[in-house]
Amino acid sequence: MTAPADLARRDTDSRRTEIAGAVRALIAERGFEGLRMRDIADRVGINIATLHYHIPSKEALITLVAQSLRDDFIAQHRAQPRENLSPLEQLRLEFSDFRDTFFNNPERLLVMGEMQERARRDPAVAAAMTPMRGYWHQQVRAILEAGRADGSFRADLEPAAAAAIVIGGMVAATKQPNPSAESLDRVFAEIERCVRNPSS
């Protein structure tokens, strides 16, 4: 038999998931500046008091959105195990995951972009987003370090700087006029050529 506390926790988790989804949809539609608590409550189908029970402050709202983004990216990462892949295969999988997100989950990148932009002026948003950016950078950096070590990437590669270039290039690929899968893949192929060992 399920304990009442477990049921209550499940209900709370479910409600918070609904709220996170509503907030993300509204940010994607209107931007962060257009976000209103009344609109969030209406989107979820709850009253303001219930919304404030689950999300008592602006900081809690920001944290909830950042956590939901992080959980999505972690789930995507875990859906395709990388343990037995070479560094080059892992890098290509990063490109593939990013392409999949852009075309099949565009809201995720829209919300990420809005949060990143807001983080420039809002310390609370910056505090929530910085660990996520750091996690992504560290993932790519680790792939580049492994590739340098096994000789598949350039011996003179500086992994931290190169990780910033790789991530920046991936994001910039989506800013092209009328981006397509083919145009993204051309950018990813150029990034790969920049890091690969020409003799490998």
Side-chain angles (χ1 to χ4, degrees):
M1 183 175 178
T2 306
D6 291 336
L7 288 173
R9 184 165 54 252
R10 259 187 235 161
D11 288 345
T12 297
D13 290 346
S14 176
R15 182 65 78 195
R16 286 171 60 83
T17 299
E18 291 176 11
I19 293 169
V23 174
R24 285 171 53 166
L26 287 166
I27 291 174
E29 291 168 15
R30 308 175 188 177
F32 203 99
E33 302 298 336
L35 195 60
R36 301 289 180 268
M37 297 300 276
R38 170 61 64 186
D39 295 334
I40 298 168
D42 289 346
R43 184 69 61 103
V44 179
I46 57 178
N47 59 41
I48 286 288
T50 302
L51 178 61
H52 282 300
Y53 170 77
H54 292 285
I55 309 296
S57 66
K58 170 191 155 187
E59 288 73 18
L61 180 67
I62 292 165
T63 299
L64 177 67
V65 173
Q67 286 175 341
S68 74
L69 288 169
R70 180 202 63 198
D71 291 346
D72 281 358
F73 283 117
I74 289 174
Q76 182 185 46
H77 187 81
R78 290 177 175 167
Q80 300 192 71
R82 287 149 164 81
E83 288 77 10
N84 298 316
L85 299 181
S86 70
L88 180 57
E89 289 169 332
Q90 291 181 52
L91 182 62
R92 288 173 175 169
L93 190 50
E94 288 292 321
F95 295 149
S96 176
D97 282 350
F98 187 84
R99 186 194 313 107
D100 177 70
T101 297
F102 180 70
F103 288 108
N104 298 317
N105 296 285
E107 176 201 90
R108 191 183 300 167
L109 292 182
L110 277 171
V111 174
M112 186 92 169
E114 285 288 333
M115 295 282 281
Q116 297 280 37
E117 185 60 33
R118 179 75 178 218
R120 298 175 189 273
R121 327 183 283 285
D122 191 323
V125 180
M129 296 302 293
T130 297
M132 193 183 313
R133 290 198 307 266
Y135 179 77
W136 189 14
H137 184 272
Q138 182 52 44
Q139 276 187 312
V140 175
R141 177 178 177 169
I143 292 170
L144 298 175
E145 287 174 341
R148 185 179 64 180
D150 76 1
S152 56
F153 295 160
R154 292 184 359 244
D156 62 347
L157 192 69
E158 205 293 294
I165 292 170
V166 169
I167 292 169
M170 291 164 69
V171 173
T174 67
K175 309 298 184 185
Q176 303 173 85
N178 304 311
S180 64
E182 292 75 19
S183 68
L184 263 65
D185 285 343
R186 286 194 292 272
V187 173
F188 299 157
E190 285 300 321
I191 295 171
E192 181 181 314
R193 276 191 282 272
C194 288
V195 302
R196 284 190 70 172
N197 184 340
S199 63
S200 66

